[in-house]
Amino acid sequence: MPIEYDDLDRIAGTDRPREIPPFCTACGYNLTGLPSNRCPECGQMFIKVEWQKKVEKLKLIAEELREANWWARAGFFVGIAAVICAGVAVLLRGSWSSVFLAVAGAVLGLCAAFLGLGVFRVPRPPKWGGELLPARDYPSALASLIFGAAVIAGVIWSW
Ligand SMILES: [Zn+2]
């Protein structure tokens, strides 16, 4: 019995939507186009239910990653706001508004760093699934972390 294609699936709404091919649930070998439903790599039978379960799990990771990427991008802007607050605080040094802005900057910096961290906390996909996921937004995550950490360090140092 050939592998069925009717259940080819999509990771809905991703940046790079791709169909998920039938793959071996034991070793991850891509079984697309094979005449038999036995994995040529490890001999495992293709069991559709098992495959669907794995696809569901991958979709959850994809969802988590999309959210983490979104928050990291938000964190980037929060980080810029933190830098602006801290910068204005330096300009107004000595006044009360300076203290207020420094505290606001530190809080925003903390938020930015926290938002950036999310991207690193999403679990790693199995090796067959990495290609199907949207890319991790490391640039936004790192920018959020660096802006956040720099502002917090600056505020503590200048106190
Ligand atoms: Zn296999």
Side-chain angles (χ1 to χ4, degrees):
M1 191 186 87
I3 292 157
E4 293 172 36
Y5 289 90
D6 58 324
D7 254 333
L8 283 180
D9 224 333
R10 271 168 185 280
I11 298 178
T14 123
D15 306 344
R16 301 185 299 165
R18 295 214 193 146
E19 289 181 335
I20 298 178
F23 53 82
C24 172
T25 53
C27 73
Y29 189 86
N30 188 331
L31 303 172
T32 306
L34 287 180
S36 99
N37 59 350
R38 190 175 282 283
C39 173
E41 196 73 5
C42 71
Q44 170 92 7
M45 291 292 287
F46 176 76
I47 303 162
K48 202 171 178 180
V49 179
E50 287 298 310
W51 173 73
Q52 279 167 334
K53 260 190 230 161
K54 299 233 174 183
V55 168
E56 282 310 310
K57 211 175 273 178
L58 186 66
K59 280 184 182 176
L60 287 182
I61 297 179
E63 186 59 38
E64 216 175 308
L65 187 54
R66 262 194 304 279
E67 276 175 27
N69 280 347
W70 192 90
W71 285 112
R73 262 164 245 152
F76 171 72
F77 292 107
V78 174
I80 288 177
V83 170
I84 291 171
C85 279
V88 177
V90 169
L91 293 178
L92 301 177
R93 192 184 283 277
S95 70
W96 274 109
S97 41
S98 153
V99 175
F100 171 78
L101 283 167
V103 170
V107 170
L108 287 173
L110 204 62
C111 290
F114 181 76
L115 291 174
L117 274 178
V119 168
F120 299 93
R121 294 210 313 257
V122 176
R124 283 184 164 279
K127 67 174 194 285
W128 51 264
E131 285 276 291
L132 302 162
L133 293 181
R136 273 172 212 251
D137 194 346
Y138 284 128
S140 297
L142 285 174
S144 305
L145 277 174
I146 291 168
F147 282 161
V151 169
I152 294 166
V155 167
I156 291 172
W157 177 75
S158 66
W159 213 278

PDB file of all heavy atoms in Angstrom, residues 16-38:
ATOM      1  N   ARG A  16       6.833  30.832   6.704  1.00  0.00           N
ATOM      2  CA  ARG A  16       7.233  29.994   5.581  1.00  0.00           C
ATOM      3  C   ARG A  16       6.376  28.734   5.564  1.00  0.00           C
ATOM      4  O   ARG A  16       6.811  27.680   5.997  1.00  0.00           O
ATOM      5  CB  ARG A  16       8.698  29.585   5.724  1.00  0.00           C
ATOM      6  CG  ARG A  16       9.641  30.747   5.788  1.00  0.00           C
ATOM      7  CD  ARG A  16      11.063  30.259   5.795  1.00  0.00           C
ATOM      8  NE  ARG A  16      11.334  29.414   6.946  1.00  0.00           N
ATOM      9  CZ  ARG A  16      12.397  28.627   7.052  1.00  0.00           C
ATOM     10  NH1 ARG A  16      13.235  28.536   6.065  1.00  0.00           N
ATOM     11  NH2 ARG A  16      12.588  27.935   8.140  1.00  0.00           N
ATOM     12  N   PRO A  17       5.119  28.838   5.120  1.00  0.00           N
ATOM     13  CA  PRO A  17       4.254  27.660   5.173  1.00  0.00           C
ATOM     14  C   PRO A  17       4.814  26.557   4.274  1.00  0.00           C
ATOM     15  O   PRO A  17       5.233  26.814   3.158  1.00  0.00           O
ATOM     16  CB  PRO A  17       2.911  28.165   4.653  1.00  0.00           C
ATOM     17  CG  PRO A  17       3.210  29.421   3.926  1.00  0.00           C
ATOM     18  CD  PRO A  17       4.503  29.982   4.459  1.00  0.00           C
ATOM     19  N   ARG A  18       4.843  25.361   4.818  1.00  0.00           N
ATOM     20  CA  ARG A  18       5.340  24.233   4.034  1.00  0.00           C
ATOM     21  C   ARG A  18       4.493  23.027   4.355  1.00  0.00           C
ATOM     22  O   ARG A  18       4.003  22.882   5.452  1.00  0.00           O
ATOM     23  CB  ARG A  18       6.782  23.904   4.413  1.00  0.00           C
ATOM     24  CG  ARG A  18       7.714  24.993   4.064  1.00  0.00           C
ATOM     25  CD  ARG A  18       9.035  24.418   3.657  1.00  0.00           C
ATOM     26  NE  ARG A  18      10.004  25.483   3.610  1.00  0.00           N
ATOM     27  CZ  ARG A  18      11.282  25.326   3.935  1.00  0.00           C
ATOM     28  NH1 ARG A  18      11.691  24.158   4.370  1.00  0.00           N
ATOM     29  NH2 ARG A  18      12.105  26.326   3.843  1.00  0.00           N
ATOM     30  N   GLU A  19       4.381  22.149   3.385  1.00  0.00           N
ATOM     31  CA  GLU A  19       3.648  20.924   3.644  1.00  0.00           C
ATOM     32  C   GLU A  19       4.544  19.982   4.424  1.00  0.00           C
ATOM     33  O   GLU A  19       5.759  19.973   4.249  1.00  0.00           O
ATOM     34  CB  GLU A  19       3.212  20.314   2.331  1.00  0.00           C
ATOM     35  CG  GLU A  19       2.121  21.142   1.682  1.00  0.00           C
ATOM     36  CD  GLU A  19       1.640  20.541   0.384  1.00  0.00           C
ATOM     37  OE1 GLU A  19       2.415  19.791  -0.238  1.00  0.00           O
ATOM     38  OE2 GLU A  19       0.501  20.841   0.006  1.00  0.00           O
ATOM     39  N   ILE A  20       3.900  19.225   5.300  1.00  0.00           N
ATOM     40  CA  ILE A  20       4.675  18.275   6.085  1.00  0.00           C
ATOM     41  C   ILE A  20       4.632  16.927   5.394  1.00  0.00           C
ATOM     42  O   ILE A  20       3.565  16.346   5.224  1.00  0.00           O
ATOM     43  CB  ILE A  20       4.118  18.164   7.513  1.00  0.00           C
ATOM     44  CG1 ILE A  20       4.225  19.532   8.188  1.00  0.00           C
ATOM     45  CG2 ILE A  20       4.883  17.103   8.294  1.00  0.00           C
ATOM     46  CD1 ILE A  20       3.668  19.561   9.580  1.00  0.00           C
ATOM     47  N   PRO A  21       5.757  16.419   4.944  1.00  0.00           N
ATOM     48  CA  PRO A  21       5.778  15.147   4.219  1.00  0.00           C
ATOM     49  C   PRO A  21       5.608  13.982   5.189  1.00  0.00           C
ATOM     50  O   PRO A  21       5.834  14.143   6.389  1.00  0.00           O
ATOM     51  CB  PRO A  21       7.169  15.131   3.601  1.00  0.00           C
ATOM     52  CG  PRO A  21       8.005  15.941   4.540  1.00  0.00           C
ATOM     53  CD  PRO A  21       7.093  16.980   5.144  1.00  0.00           C
ATOM     54  N   PRO A  22       5.201  12.816   4.687  1.00  0.00           N
ATOM     55  CA  PRO A  22       5.193  11.647   5.563  1.00  0.00           C
ATOM     56  C   PRO A  22       6.642  11.309   5.889  1.00  0.00           C
ATOM     57  O   PRO A  22       7.482  11.331   5.005  1.00  0.00           O
ATOM     58  CB  PRO A  22       4.554  10.563   4.699  1.00  0.00           C
ATOM     59  CG  PRO A  22       4.731  11.023   3.298  1.00  0.00           C
ATOM     60  CD  PRO A  22       4.792  12.529   3.322  1.00  0.00           C
ATOM     61  N   PHE A  23       6.911  11.096   7.171  1.00  0.00           N
ATOM     62  CA  PHE A  23       8.285  10.756   7.542  1.00  0.00           C
ATOM     63  C   PHE A  23       8.241   9.579   8.492  1.00  0.00           C
ATOM     64  O   PHE A  23       7.208   9.287   9.099  1.00  0.00           O
ATOM     65  CB  PHE A  23       8.971  11.945   8.205  1.00  0.00           C
ATOM     66  CG  PHE A  23       8.195  12.506   9.359  1.00  0.00           C
ATOM     67  CD1 PHE A  23       8.266  11.919  10.610  1.00  0.00           C
ATOM     68  CD2 PHE A  23       7.390  13.619   9.189  1.00  0.00           C
ATOM     69  CE1 PHE A  23       7.548  12.423  11.670  1.00  0.00           C
ATOM     70  CE2 PHE A  23       6.657  14.122  10.254  1.00  0.00           C
ATOM     71  CZ  PHE A  23       6.734  13.529  11.495  1.00  0.00           C
ATOM     72  N   CYS A  24       9.348   8.880   8.621  1.00  0.00           N
ATOM     73  CA  CYS A  24       9.443   7.746   9.534  1.00  0.00           C
ATOM     74  C   CYS A  24       9.392   8.269  10.966  1.00  0.00           C
ATOM     75  O   CYS A  24      10.167   9.146  11.334  1.00  0.00           O
ATOM     76  CB  CYS A  24      10.748   7.001   9.271  1.00  0.00           C
ATOM     77  SG  CYS A  24      11.081   5.729  10.503  1.00  0.00           S
ATOM     78  N   THR A  25       8.483   7.722  11.781  1.00  0.00           N
ATOM     79  CA  THR A  25       8.348   8.224  13.151  1.00  0.00           C
ATOM     80  C   THR A  25       9.458   7.692  14.047  1.00  0.00           C
ATOM     81  O   THR A  25       9.629   8.165  15.158  1.00  0.00           O
ATOM     82  CB  THR A  25       6.980   7.835  13.751  1.00  0.00           C
ATOM     83  OG1 THR A  25       6.809   6.430  13.610  1.00  0.00           O
ATOM     84  CG2 THR A  25       5.851   8.572  13.071  1.00  0.00           C
ATOM     85  N   ALA A  26      10.213   6.721  13.560  1.00  0.00           N
ATOM     86  CA  ALA A  26      11.333   6.201  14.361  1.00  0.00           C
ATOM     87  C   ALA A  26      12.612   6.986  14.099  1.00  0.00           C
ATOM     88  O   ALA A  26      13.291   7.398  15.029  1.00  0.00           O
ATOM     89  CB  ALA A  26      11.548   4.722  14.062  1.00  0.00           C
ATOM     90  N   CYS A  27      12.939   7.202  12.825  1.00  0.00           N
ATOM     91  CA  CYS A  27      14.235   7.821  12.526  1.00  0.00           C
ATOM     92  C   CYS A  27      14.113   9.151  11.796  1.00  0.00           C
ATOM     93  O   CYS A  27      15.116   9.833  11.588  1.00  0.00           O
ATOM     94  CB  CYS A  27      15.108   6.863  11.724  1.00  0.00           C
ATOM     95  SG  CYS A  27      14.589   6.670  10.012  1.00  0.00           S
ATOM     96  N   GLY A  28      12.895   9.536  11.378  1.00  0.00           N
ATOM     97  CA  GLY A  28      12.725  10.846  10.743  1.00  0.00           C
ATOM     98  C   GLY A  28      12.958  10.861   9.244  1.00  0.00           C
ATOM     99  O   GLY A  28      12.858  11.893   8.608  1.00  0.00           O
ATOM    100  N   TYR A  29      13.255   9.696   8.678  1.00  0.00           N
ATOM    101  CA  TYR A  29      13.513   9.616   7.223  1.00  0.00           C
ATOM    102  C   TYR A  29      12.281  10.066   6.439  1.00  0.00           C
ATOM    103  O   TYR A  29      11.155   9.686   6.763  1.00  0.00           O
ATOM    104  CB  TYR A  29      13.881   8.173   6.872  1.00  0.00           C
ATOM    105  CG  TYR A  29      14.370   7.986   5.461  1.00  0.00           C
ATOM    106  CD1 TYR A  29      15.713   8.187   5.151  1.00  0.00           C
ATOM    107  CD2 TYR A  29      13.495   7.601   4.450  1.00  0.00           C
ATOM    108  CE1 TYR A  29      16.172   8.014   3.854  1.00  0.00           C
ATOM    109  CE2 TYR A  29      13.947   7.427   3.152  1.00  0.00           C
ATOM    110  CZ  TYR A  29      15.283   7.635   2.859  1.00  0.00           C
ATOM    111  OH  TYR A  29      15.730   7.464   1.579  1.00  0.00           O
ATOM    112  N   ASN A  30      12.502  10.897   5.420  1.00  0.00           N
ATOM    113  CA  ASN A  30      11.395  11.398   4.599  1.00  0.00           C
ATOM    114  C   ASN A  30      10.940  10.293   3.639  1.00  0.00           C
ATOM    115  O   ASN A  30      11.719   9.813   2.822  1.00  0.00           O
ATOM    116  CB  ASN A  30      11.870  12.625   3.822  1.00  0.00           C
ATOM    117  CG  ASN A  30      10.732  13.324   3.105  1.00  0.00           C
ATOM    118  OD1 ASN A  30       9.740  12.699   2.726  1.00  0.00           O
ATOM    119  ND2 ASN A  30      10.870  14.612   2.923  1.00  0.00           N
ATOM    120  N   LEU A  31       9.658   9.895   3.762  1.00  0.00           N
ATOM    121  CA  LEU A  31       9.158   8.748   3.002  1.00  0.00           C
ATOM    122  C   LEU A  31       8.414   9.151   1.727  1.00  0.00           C
ATOM    123  O   LEU A  31       7.779   8.318   1.090  1.00  0.00           O
ATOM    124  CB  LEU A  31       8.229   7.908   3.894  1.00  0.00           C
ATOM    125  CG  LEU A  31       8.840   7.393   5.200  1.00  0.00           C
ATOM    126  CD1 LEU A  31       7.786   6.758   6.078  1.00  0.00           C
ATOM    127  CD2 LEU A  31       9.959   6.405   4.919  1.00  0.00           C
ATOM    128  N   THR A  32       8.515  10.426   1.359  1.00  0.00           N
ATOM    129  CA  THR A  32       7.815  10.909   0.171  1.00  0.00           C
ATOM    130  C   THR A  32       8.182  10.094  -1.069  1.00  0.00           C
ATOM    131  O   THR A  32       9.371   9.868  -1.324  1.00  0.00           O
ATOM    132  CB  THR A  32       8.163  12.390  -0.093  1.00  0.00           C
ATOM    133  OG1 THR A  32       7.901  13.139   1.081  1.00  0.00           O
ATOM    134  CG2 THR A  32       7.349  12.952  -1.244  1.00  0.00           C
ATOM    135  N   GLY A  33       7.159   9.650  -1.780  1.00  0.00           N
ATOM    136  CA  GLY A  33       7.392   9.006  -3.062  1.00  0.00           C
ATOM    137  C   GLY A  33       7.848   7.563  -3.021  1.00  0.00           C
ATOM    138  O   GLY A  33       8.141   6.976  -4.053  1.00  0.00           O
ATOM    139  N   LEU A  34       7.909   6.982  -1.815  1.00  0.00           N
ATOM    140  CA  LEU A  34       8.356   5.587  -1.743  1.00  0.00           C
ATOM    141  C   LEU A  34       7.204   4.644  -2.079  1.00  0.00           C
ATOM    142  O   LEU A  34       6.063   4.903  -1.732  1.00  0.00           O
ATOM    143  CB  LEU A  34       8.882   5.279  -0.340  1.00  0.00           C
ATOM    144  CG  LEU A  34      10.236   5.910  -0.005  1.00  0.00           C
ATOM    145  CD1 LEU A  34      10.642   5.540   1.397  1.00  0.00           C
ATOM    146  CD2 LEU A  34      11.288   5.437  -1.007  1.00  0.00           C
ATOM    147  N   PRO A  35       7.495   3.547  -2.760  1.00  0.00           N
ATOM    148  CA  PRO A  35       6.439   2.606  -3.157  1.00  0.00           C
ATOM    149  C   PRO A  35       5.886   1.796  -1.982  1.00  0.00           C
ATOM    150  O   PRO A  35       4.724   1.399  -2.002  1.00  0.00           O
ATOM    151  CB  PRO A  35       7.143   1.698  -4.167  1.00  0.00           C
ATOM    152  CG  PRO A  35       8.593   1.798  -3.826  1.00  0.00           C
ATOM    153  CD  PRO A  35       8.807   3.166  -3.259  1.00  0.00           C
ATOM    154  N   SER A  36       6.672   1.544  -0.952  1.00  0.00           N
ATOM    155  CA  SER A  36       6.175   0.758   0.174  1.00  0.00           C
ATOM    156  C   SER A  36       6.029   1.677   1.381  1.00  0.00           C
ATOM    157  O   SER A  36       6.516   2.799   1.378  1.00  0.00           O
ATOM    158  CB  SER A  36       7.134  -0.387   0.507  1.00  0.00           C
ATOM    159  OG  SER A  36       7.958  -0.040   1.596  1.00  0.00           O
ATOM    160  N   ASN A  37       5.335   1.196   2.409  1.00  0.00           N
ATOM    161  CA  ASN A  37       5.174   2.046   3.582  1.00  0.00           C
ATOM    162  C   ASN A  37       6.102   1.602   4.711  1.00  0.00           C
ATOM    163  O   ASN A  37       5.825   1.788   5.883  1.00  0.00           O
ATOM    164  CB  ASN A  37       3.717   2.110   4.036  1.00  0.00           C
ATOM    165  CG  ASN A  37       3.176   0.746   4.380  1.00  0.00           C
ATOM    166  OD1 ASN A  37       3.827  -0.262   4.110  1.00  0.00           O
ATOM    167  ND2 ASN A  37       2.001   0.705   4.966  1.00  0.00           N
ATOM    168  N   ARG A  38       7.199   0.982   4.326  1.00  0.00           N
ATOM    169  CA  ARG A  38       8.224   0.615   5.287  1.00  0.00           C
ATOM    170  C   ARG A  38       9.431   1.526   5.071  1.00  0.00           C
ATOM    171  O   ARG A  38       9.806   1.798   3.940  1.00  0.00           O
ATOM    172  CB  ARG A  38       8.607  -0.861   5.111  1.00  0.00           C
ATOM    173  CG  ARG A  38       9.495  -1.407   6.202  1.00  0.00           C
ATOM    174  CD  ARG A  38       9.731  -2.897   6.017  1.00  0.00           C
ATOM    175  NE  ARG A  38       8.608  -3.730   6.438  1.00  0.00           N
ATOM    176  CZ  ARG A  38       8.309  -4.014   7.705  1.00  0.00           C
ATOM    177  NH1 ARG A  38       9.036  -3.513   8.682  1.00  0.00           N
ATOM    178  NH2 ARG A  38       7.297  -4.772   8.013  1.00  0.00           N
TER     179      ARG A  38
END
